[in-house]
């Protein structure tokens, strides 16, 4: 699974008819063509890096950070048709020739299209966190080549968004010596189970799992201030700092949603108390699925349409080949 910055993973599309009975599933789609290695993929930045000759990132350029757009699909199709490979984003399909090494072959039942090359041994590693637009070209010429994916690129289409979890990076903190301080880390998809590790001078994050600060780096204490003498000590071996992610129960006075009103372009959330100094314009949030009621129905009683709508509201998506798992997309906050 392609999910974390700096960690290799795979990318595959799921398709086919998954409906049972007479009720259509919202994710029903045609099966994939079984022509060998006939599909290319390109990943472009949606909210982190501008495309060539652009001054803003795609999300801002389109105004998609303010509302859902009726023209979202066609606008992203046009962005994909620029065929702008961004080498700064990832290690993998960073040019048309490199993308050919990741060309997808449909599974035997034609419900899975993995972009891992003819030998099914290629992986992709995101180099930075952020939202990516997945661009897809499944058109080949009569000899099986990829000429049809070339400029003007009208056969490239937008397939969906993918969020890579991780810190923003490039942040700088200047702290005064002898004072207790906290660090605010910005990023995408950060969780309370994530950990921070502070390395000594000359150390690299790639060595973070092996660097031992105990006895090597004594100028930083953790657990401060200490009221009972048990804290504010030097870092222990392989010392990790817990990350306090902001969520509905991360403070004594819990903040929760009392009402959600949806429209064609946005969703308005009403909270039980002020969210000033908790959420900021441009933050990305996701909602827990369990408390959501659709038409008064609890999660266990949802129809497939209910589940589809609830996931869209929550800012997450199901994995079609394993509906017990979800992937993060998030919802952009406008105050």
């Amino acid at each position: 699974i392609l999910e974390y910055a700096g960690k290799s993973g795979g990318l595959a599309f799921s398709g086919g008819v998954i409906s049972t009975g007479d009720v259509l599933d919202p994710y029903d789609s045609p099966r994939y063509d079984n022509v060998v290695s006939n599909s290319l993929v390109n990943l472009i930045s949606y909210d982190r890096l501008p495309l060539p000759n652009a001054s803003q990132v795609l999300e801002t350029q389109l105004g998609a950070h303010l509302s859902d757009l009726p023209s979202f699909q066609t606008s992203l199709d046009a962005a994909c048709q620029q065929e702008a490979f961004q080498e700064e984003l990832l290690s993998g399909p960073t040019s048309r020739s490199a993308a050919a090494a990741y060309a997808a072959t449909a599974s035997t039942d034609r419900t899975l299209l993995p972009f891992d090359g003819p030998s099914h041994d290629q992986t992709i590693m995101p180099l930075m966190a952020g939202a990516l637009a997945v661009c897809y070209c499944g058109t080949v010429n009569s000899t099986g080549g990829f000429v049809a994916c070339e400029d003007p690129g009208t056969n490239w289409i937008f397939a969906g968004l993918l969020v890579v979890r991780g810190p923003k990076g490039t942040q700088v903190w200047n702290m005064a010596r002898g004072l207790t301080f906290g660090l605010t880390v910005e990023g995408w998809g950060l969780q309370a189970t994530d950990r921070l590790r502070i390395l000594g001078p000359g150390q690299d994050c790639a060595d973070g799992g092996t660097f031992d600060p105990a006895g090597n780096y004594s100028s930083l204490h953790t657990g401060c201030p200490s009221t009972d003498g048990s804290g504010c000590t030097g870092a222990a071996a392989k010392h990790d700092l817990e990350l306090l992610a902001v969520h509905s129960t991360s403070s004594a006075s819990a903040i929760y949603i009392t009402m959600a009103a949806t429209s064609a372009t946005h969703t308005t959330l009403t909270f039980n108390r002020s969210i000033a100094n908790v959420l900021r314009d441009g933050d990305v949030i996701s909602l827990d699925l369990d408390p959501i009621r659709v038409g008064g129905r609890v999660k266990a009683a949802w129809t497939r349409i209910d589940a589809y709508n609830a996931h869209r509201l929550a800012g997450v998506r199901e994995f079609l080949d394993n509906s017990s798992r979800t992937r993060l997309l998030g919802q952009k906050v406008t105050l």
Side-chain angles (χ1 to χ4, degrees):
I1 299 172
L2 203 62
E3 188 171 11
Y4 296 100
K7 185 175 181 180
S8 297
L11 176 66
F13 295 169
S14 291
V17 177
I18 58 177
S19 297
T20 57
D22 297 329
V23 180
L24 295 179
D25 191 285
Y27 290 108
D28 279 351
S29 64
R31 293 177 185 265
Y32 297 105
D33 197 332
N34 58 6
V35 175
V36 175
S37 301
N38 73 330
S39 304
L40 298 185
V41 70
N42 181 22
L43 303 171
I44 61 176
S45 178
Y46 178 68
D47 65 357
R48 188 73 191 267
L49 300 176
L51 291 177
N53 303 317
S55 59
Q56 297 178 310
V57 297
L58 263 176
E59 182 185 45
T60 305
Q61 181 182 337
L62 299 176
H65 61 304
L66 300 175
S67 67
D68 288 339
L69 304 174
S71 60
F72 188 76
Q73 179 69 46
T74 55
S75 296
L76 268 293
D77 285 347
C80 286
Q81 287 160 13
Q82 295 182 38
E83 203 180 6
F85 290 90
Q86 296 176 294
E87 295 183 1
E88 316 96 302
L89 281 180
L90 52 91
S91 174
T94 53
S95 66
R96 189 187 300 130
S97 58
Y102 291 79
T105 302
S107 59
T108 304
D109 63 1
R110 298 166 52 203
T111 62
L112 193 67
L113 193 65
F115 293 91
D116 54 6
S119 300
H120 303 293
D121 58 355
Q122 299 295 312
T123 59
I124 301 171
M125 185 172 72
L127 300 179
M128 59 177 66
L132 304 176
V134 181
C135 302
Y136 166 73
C137 180
T139 305
V140 297
N141 62 15
S142 59
T143 60
F146 298 109
V147 176
C149 294
E150 296 178 0
D151 294 337
T154 53
N155 291 310
W156 284 95
I157 62 171
F158 168 66
L161 292 176
L162 175 70
V163 170
V164 176
R165 296 177 182 266
K168 178 181 179 181
T170 70
Q171 283 186 259
V172 176
W173 300 272
N174 294 305
M175 304 299 177
R177 181 177 179 179
L179 297 179
T180 300
F181 63 88
L183 297 178
T184 298
V185 180
E186 298 177 347
W188 285 258
L190 302 180
Q191 304 174 90
T193 53
D194 293 344
R195 295 292 182 266
L196 304 177
R197 183 169 296 179
I198 298 177
L199 306 183
Q203 299 293 323
D204 188 271
C205 286
D207 303 321
T210 58
F211 175 69
D212 183 357
N216 295 318
Y217 193 46
S218 59
S219 61
L220 181 73
H221 285 194
T222 63
C224 305
S226 175
T227 57
D228 60 4
S230 63
C232 210
T233 59
K238 297 184 179 179
H239 191 95
D240 291 338
L241 303 177
E242 293 187 9
L243 185 69
L244 176 63
V246 177
H247 53 84
S248 61
T249 58
S250 60
S251 65
S253 302
I255 301 176
Y256 54 88
I257 296 168
T258 58
M259 185 173 65
T262 61
S263 73
T265 59
H266 64 276
T267 298
T268 301
L269 302 178
T270 302
F271 294 85
N272 66 315
R273 63 184 183 89
S274 173
I275 56 171
N277 301 318
V278 177
L279 292 178
R280 300 172 301 175
D281 225 31
D283 281 351
V284 177
I285 64 172
S286 61
L287 309 181
D288 293 334
L289 287 168
D290 290 339
I292 294 177
R293 303 290 185 269
V294 182
R297 294 181 290 278
V298 298
K299 184 179 177 182
W302 286 348
T303 65
R304 288 296 298 157
I305 297 295
D306 291 341
Y308 173 81
N309 289 326
H311 282 82
R312 286 178 58 83
L313 173 65
V316 296
R317 296 292 187 273
E318 297 174 87
F319 285 101
L320 294 190
D321 57 345
N322 184 357
S323 60
S324 64
R325 298 193 59 186
T326 60
R327 59 184 178 89
L328 175 70
L329 280 184
Q331 301 283 26
K332 187 64 64 82
V333 173
T334 303
L335 299 178

